[in-house]
Amino acid sequence: MALQVELIPTGEIIRVVHPHRPCKLALGSDGVRVTMESALTARDRVGVQDFVLLENFTSEAAFMENLRRRFRENLIYTYIGPVLVSVNPYRDLQIYSRQHMERYRGVSFYEVPPHLFAVADTVYRALRTERRDQAVMISGESGAGKTEATKRLLQFYAETCPAPERGGAVRDRLLQSNPVLEAFGNAKTLRNDNSSRFGKYMDVQFDFKGAPVGGHILSYLLEKSRVVHQNHGERNFHIFYQLLEGGEEEELRRLGLERNAQSYLYLVKGQCAKVSSINDKSDWKVVRKALTVINFTEDEVEDLLSIVASVLHLGNIHFAANEESNAQVTTENQLKYLTRLLGVEGATLREALTHRKIIAKGEELLSPLNLEQAAYARDALAKAVYSRTFTWLVGKINRSLASKDADSPSWRSTTVLGLLDIYGFEVFQHNSFEQFCINYCNEKLQQLFIELTLKSEQEEYEAEGIAWEPVQYFNNKIICDLVEEKFKGIISILDEECLRPGEATDLTFLEKLEDTVKHHPHFLTHKLADQRTRKSLDRGEFRLLHYAGEVTYNVTGFLDKNNDLLFRNLKETMCSSKNPIMSQCFDRNELSDKKRPETVATQFKLSLLQLVEILKSKEPAYIRCIKPNDAKQPGRFDEVLIRHQVKYLGLMENLRVRRAGFAYRRKYEIFLQRYKSLCPETWPTWAGRPQDGVAVLVRHLGYKPEEYKMGRTKIFIRFPKTLFATEDALEVRRQSLATKIQAAWRGFHWRQKFLRVKRSAICIQSWWRGTLGRRKAAKRKWAAQTIRRLIRGFILRHAPRCPENAFFLDHVRTSFLLNLRRQLPRNVLDTSWPTPPPALREASELLRELCMKNMVWKYCRSISPEWKQQLQQKAVASEIFKGKKDNYPQSVPRLFISTRLGVDEISPKVLQALGSEPIQYAVPVVKYDRKGYKPRSRQLLLTPNAVVIVEDAKVKQRIDYANLTGISVSSLSDSLFVLHVQREDNKQKGDVVLQSDHVIETLTKTALSADRVNNININQGSITFAGGPGRDGIIDFTPGSELLITKAKNGHLAVVAPRLNSR
């Protein structure tokens, strides 16, 4: 059986037990979580999950290739021992859900694939079980994902830690402090749309139950120069744009602001007010909600926003030179807004912006400023206002996060988890004072990192009783001393140059550096460099060889940025502010303090030394964040950029320290449990101590003495190839084990299935037999009862209805109705009808009548108009001739047709003579003369008004219906008939004697057309007709054997017609 695995975005490999079911991500019957070593089977495709397992660990190319393989498979996390390396994927991989949190919760560090949650859970469990403070140090350059990692860590603790007894207010404030700090301390840069422009260290306090009960935040080196200047393509801090986009109209009107960011000088220098990936309006809603959560009152929010708006108005203060070239404020409107928002006197602020107060020999003098100095004073005030407000904001958040139960006994048992989100090593084309401080910070943290890593390695070796082998590594203490050493360090020289009297400039500072540290191997200037190196160094630059590489710094602005001076009268003005926040930010004690304030570099050095002491007091965990490309594109791996970050993050140095001893170490129980199947003596179970079992196992595997060491609780394997060979042997062994397990399982499974089926069949058979028996007995009982009731009812069938015969009578009625349903008449001519029982005779007749009416109704509904006309004519014919004329029965089955002559058989002259009168019926006839009874062929035409007799193309006679008095016909089977006309009509020659082969049809249509249905006379014996004026003719009819029409001797017309017995 082939091993089926599936890789998921966390790097976890899942073995599929049921190949036809989807892979499960959690432990259960359908899938088994495979430990970290199992990923080695796919190492050719996805690399190793721990860089320590790289065979060629000194090769940077091998390191990069492993990183590339994992990034290609969306595996963004990799370990270097306990250090987590994270590559920003620039997309959501769906690996931070609640399900993922539960998967990493309470699991040993190496039992699951690398993940941020694995580090978070390990730190949290160590904090609870060992009761020692912990710290997670997150570093990397801008855009590498440090801020996102911090948020995910806080999210993990908020979701998985138990809730404190007094609710989740602290937990909510911890989470909601992030959007507020991001709004005031983050900005869009060329490398990152949400870059943290300050360092942040957050302490989260947990009680003895592991619930968060408080917190504290330290901030470092806010990039306040961004307030007044941004590079092209960058933005100011988010809060300015969020306020303009999301603020309500009334609020903006109070602050004197417009929605257009282009209206403010401090927001347009980067020419990047709008960013597609940032929704300032929705972010503003998040910030407003977060301010409420962290206990900001409405008044405090108004005061804070007034300060933010005042910074924008400060940027729009403009100056003009007077006749003496002194600066004067020209934007009165902006000055009015400033005085109202900051709560200061307008005249005092105007004077402070255009004059400098100097105290000489106890006297105060006001020195007017030129345009350049006034602009400097304005920008210095804007930076001071914003930076001090940011410091106040951090303090406000800290007061909100502070535990309210500091006096309770449980407070003394709290432990602290620190989260350090600090800027990474920065190397730009132009590096200034800020990069110098940031890189100095990274030097100190790298020094601490190496010291703590070596210390933890040494402590583990000593605890396991294994001899410690000294590790050769680069100790960057020499670089830290170069920067921070008293009297001789760069910071001391910079401070000295800032404080000395006389004209001190950036170049004089550089000259003093050259004189003081010119012999240092990690320091270089244009003056100290050789001829070849001078080409890459300007005269105003110096170069430091950091642990991560060379960085060239331009000294321009070093003194100003280090001094960070704010003129005294500006301080006095701000100290008099009625804005409650400003009055806290600018303390009046500053004015009376004669001591010169510490420089920025010294403040930063002291806070950094304090941070190092804090971190030393805690158990550290490390997360190293890497940015894969500058374009923020998912899936793009920029090797040059990543190689640079690997270098300045010190990852290769860390790997070398970690691999100086043994590449792999595991507890005996875990190692034996995983590999015991490779040795017959340890498989399937080992009864002795795990340490003895591992000794037997490694002897069987043929480990050489130099490849491993046995500690007190762990086995140490020196070379990754030894572990790889063991893992490959385990993979082969699994195949045979899987086959055996499959065979045993299939046999067991199918036997169990057969037994289940057999039991089920027996159960079903038993139940079915019982069911059939019960049904049969019930049926017999019902049949006996039914027969008994029928017999009793039959006996009493003639008695009045009673309970004894009701069933029988109902049965008889039902049987009749069912029989009637089957034997209903098919059509109206079907007269059959079942014989009803005596009790249903009346009902039967009613039903028969209803049935006949229904059939007639259906028949009438179904006939067409043509057929209806046919039936009407047949009905008239029946009324006239039925039972009266012998040849009528022969005409019944023959259909009447609309005409017996086509249009082409009638002469056009006749049609012309008729004019517009339509011909309703035409039939050929034989006309008998009135005198000699000579037969002549004629055509009989019926029009709406008259009967027309036609000879060829001539109309011989026209008889209007009004003049037609009657029609006579004999009762025999002959076809003669006489049309009687009025004798007074001079136009008519007399009655007309005609013979037609379709006599019944012809007479019916004539009677209907002339409305003479009641004027047809059926005579027996003879017919008298008018043969002319004063002369009558007689037709004698006698029955005979065949039809014969002749003139008799007596002058009558004799007609002999056969007698039919149909009448």
Side-chain angles (χ1 to χ4, degrees), residues 51 71 128 173 209 231 280 308 361 367 418 421 460 538 542 582 600 655 681 686 692 755 770 853 871 900 993 1031 1061:
F51 284 110
F71 183 73
R128 290 204 62 186
R173 290 169 194 160
K209 296 179 181 179
N231 294 326
D280 293 311
V308 173
K361 297 181 181 181
S367 173
D421 175 5
E460 184 176 18
D538 289 339
F542 68 92
M582 276 291 94
V600 173
L655 175 58
E681 298 178 48
W686 174 257
D692 299 334
L755 292 176
K853 287 182 179 180
L871 292 178
R900 295 288 178 176
V993 181
R1031 182 168 53 87
N1061 296 324

Side-chain angles (χ1 to χ4, degrees), residues 236-333:
N236 211 321
F237 293 103
H238 292 324
I239 187 62
F240 296 113
Y241 307 95
Q242 292 173 0
L243 175 59
L244 295 181
E245 286 291 328
E248 296 180 359
E249 292 292 341
E250 184 179 348
E251 190 170 43
L252 293 180
R253 197 178 301 113
R254 180 184 69 82
L255 299 174
L257 297 177
E258 303 174 12
R259 288 217 182 270
N260 186 10
Q262 304 293 330
S263 303
Y264 301 98
L265 185 66
Y266 284 165
L267 302 184
V268 299
K269 293 190 176 181
Q271 298 180 2
C272 187
K274 295 282 186 181
V275 182
S276 60
S277 63
I278 299 175
N279 188 335
D280 293 311
K281 192 170 185 178
S282 64
D283 290 345
W284 169 252
K285 294 178 181 177
V286 174
V287 171
R288 284 287 282 156
K289 181 181 178 183
L291 288 171
T292 305
V293 172
I294 56 180
N295 290 344
F296 267 78
T297 64
E298 285 299 320
D299 291 340
E300 286 176 328
V301 172
E302 282 191 13
D303 294 337
L304 182 62
L305 296 182
S306 296
I307 295 172
V308 173
S310 70
V311 173
L312 294 179
H313 287 303
L314 260 176
N316 284 3
I317 291 287
H318 296 297
F319 302 97
N322 59 12
E323 296 175 355
E324 299 174 357
S325 299
N326 296 329
Q328 290 182 335
V329 176
T330 59
T331 47
E332 295 295 331
N333 197 35

Side-chain angles (χ1 to χ4, degrees), residues 77 92-102 104-105 115-121 124 136 138 145-163 168 170-179 182 200 202 204 206 210 212 417 419 623:
Y77 295 118
D92 187 3
L93 297 178
Q94 302 294 325
I95 58 174
Y96 303 105
S97 64
R98 177 76 187 191
Q99 183 184 4
H100 285 86
M101 293 181 189
E102 291 300 328
Y104 283 89
R105 186 179 179 184
H115 197 285
L116 187 70
F117 291 161
V119 176
D121 183 72
Y124 179 70
V136 180
I138 307 169
K146 302 186 299 297
T147 303
E148 186 68 19
T150 305
K151 288 194 285 188
R152 295 297 182 184
L153 286 172
L154 288 174
Q155 177 190 357
F156 178 84
Y157 294 131
E159 292 286 341
T160 59
C161 294
V170 172
R171 182 171 57 189
D172 294 338
R173 290 169 194 160
L174 282 170
L175 292 175
Q176 294 301 323
S177 65
N178 261 321
E182 284 184 14
K200 179 177 69 175
M202 174 186 287
V204 182
F206 293 85
L417 189 152
L419 297 175
I623 298 173

Side-chain angles (χ1 to χ4, degrees), residues 662 701-709 716-719 721-722:
F662 296 89
L701 293 175
Y703 281 14
K704 296 177 182 178
E706 65 272 12
E707 291 181 338
Y708 75 100
K709 290 286 185 183
F716 289 72
I717 297 177
R718 188 179 297 275
F719 306 116
K721 64 180 180 180
T722 307

Side-chain angles (χ1 to χ4, degrees), residues 132-133 135 137 201 444 447-449 451-452 455 609-620:
R132 288 194 60 184
D133 294 346
M137 289 183 260
Y201 175 77
K444 291 294 291 182
Q447 182 186 19
L448 177 66
F449 174 55
E451 286 179 5
L452 295 179
K455 179 183 176 184
L609 292 175
Q610 180 188 7
L611 175 63
V612 170
E613 291 303 316
I614 292 173
L615 296 176
K616 279 183 178 181
S617 68
K618 294 177 170 57
E619 285 293 314

Side-chain angles (χ1 to χ4, degrees), residues 796-815:
L796 300 174
R797 65 186 181 278
H798 297 300
R801 184 180 180 87
C802 61
E804 284 75 11
N805 66 2
F807 179 77
F808 177 79
L809 295 177
D810 291 341
H811 172 70
V812 170
R813 291 173 178 173
T814 303
S815 299

Side-chain angles (χ1 to χ4, degrees), residues 434-478:
E434 291 84 3
Q435 282 69 46
F436 172 75
C437 293
I438 288 171
N439 293 342
Y440 162 54
C441 173
N442 277 269
E443 285 286 355
K444 291 294 291 182
L445 293 177
Q446 174 69 7
Q447 182 186 19
L448 177 66
F449 174 55
I450 295 297
E451 286 179 5
L452 295 179
T453 302
L454 286 172
K455 179 183 176 184
S456 64
E457 284 284 293
Q458 190 170 359
E459 286 176 351
E460 184 176 18
Y461 277 51
E462 290 175 357
E464 292 294 326
I466 295 177
W468 171 252
E469 302 171 6
V471 177
Q472 295 296 324
Y473 68 97
F474 171 67
N475 190 344
N476 65 338
K477 183 177 184 299
I478 186 174

